[in-house]
Amino acid sequence: KLLEREPRKIKKISLRNIKDFSISFWLIAIGISIYYPVVFSFTGNGQLFIINKYRLSIIMASVANSLIFAAAIFLIPLIGILVDIFGYNLAWAQFGVVTGIVCHLMYATSTGESYIPYLIGILYSVSYSFFGIAVWPVPALIVQ
């Protein structure tokens, strides 16, 4: 029966279709384009920052810096279930952004206690996880 069906008409995709995207789509795209470079540039430079500010060894600074992504491995499935159950993707994304800002403020204002980078690494992982889980499905929901 599948072979007997008429082929569907497929619309051609053109770059001119960009003008048809809503302002909501562009705001989400800008938000994604701003958030991820901040996270990745910090993790790229974070090890040296942690060594200098908190006087940790290179190995311990690497561990603290890698917590951002290592903890996300365990958090993302749990947070994904949470976001799927409750919805409110943009509220969770805002929570992720605010939590990320709090992490940067904690790094900027904390003194040199050696446990701080580990605490912030886990908190930053929560931020990264919530933002990613909540915001990536949104463009598909906006564009029809």
Side-chain angles (χ1 to χ4, degrees):
K1 288 187 177 189
L2 289 175
L3 295 175
E4 295 173 7
R5 285 186 180 172
E6 288 185 35
R8 294 161 121 189
K9 285 190 175 183
I10 300 174
K11 287 177 143 182
K12 275 194 163 184
I13 297 174
S14 170
L15 284 177
R16 287 184 228 139
N17 295 348
I18 290 175
K19 67 180 174 18
D20 298 331
F21 291 155
S22 68
I23 189 72
S24 300
F25 171 82
W26 290 111
L27 290 174
I28 293 293
I30 290 168
I32 290 170
S33 300
I34 291 171
Y35 182 82
Y36 282 107
V38 170
V39 172
F40 295 139
S41 64
F42 177 77
T43 55
N45 300 315
Q47 181 181 4
L48 186 60
F49 172 77
I50 292 169
I51 290 170
N52 290 332
K53 182 164 185 172
Y54 298 99
R55 304 288 180 223
L56 295 178
S57 69
I58 193 166
I59 293 170
M60 297 311 289
S62 296
V63 169
N65 195 39
S66 68
L67 280 175
I68 296 170
F69 299 118
I73 293 169
F74 302 102
L75 290 173
I76 285 176
L78 300 173
I79 292 171
I81 291 168
L82 180 75
V83 171
D84 282 345
I85 289 171
F86 294 106
Y88 302 106
N89 287 49
L90 294 180
W92 293 117
Q94 287 176 336
F95 173 74
V97 169
V98 169
T99 308
I101 292 169
V102 167
C103 290
H104 284 277
L105 290 174
M106 286 173 67
Y107 269 129
T109 60
S110 66
T111 54
E113 292 91 4
S114 61
Y115 68 90
I116 296 289
Y118 303 104
L119 178 70
I120 295 173
I122 292 170
L123 188 61
Y124 211 160
S125 180
V126 170
S127 166
Y128 175 77
S129 299
F130 266 108
F131 185 82
I133 291 293
V135 89
W136 279 109
V138 173
L141 299 173
I142 292 172
V143 177
Q144 296 181 16

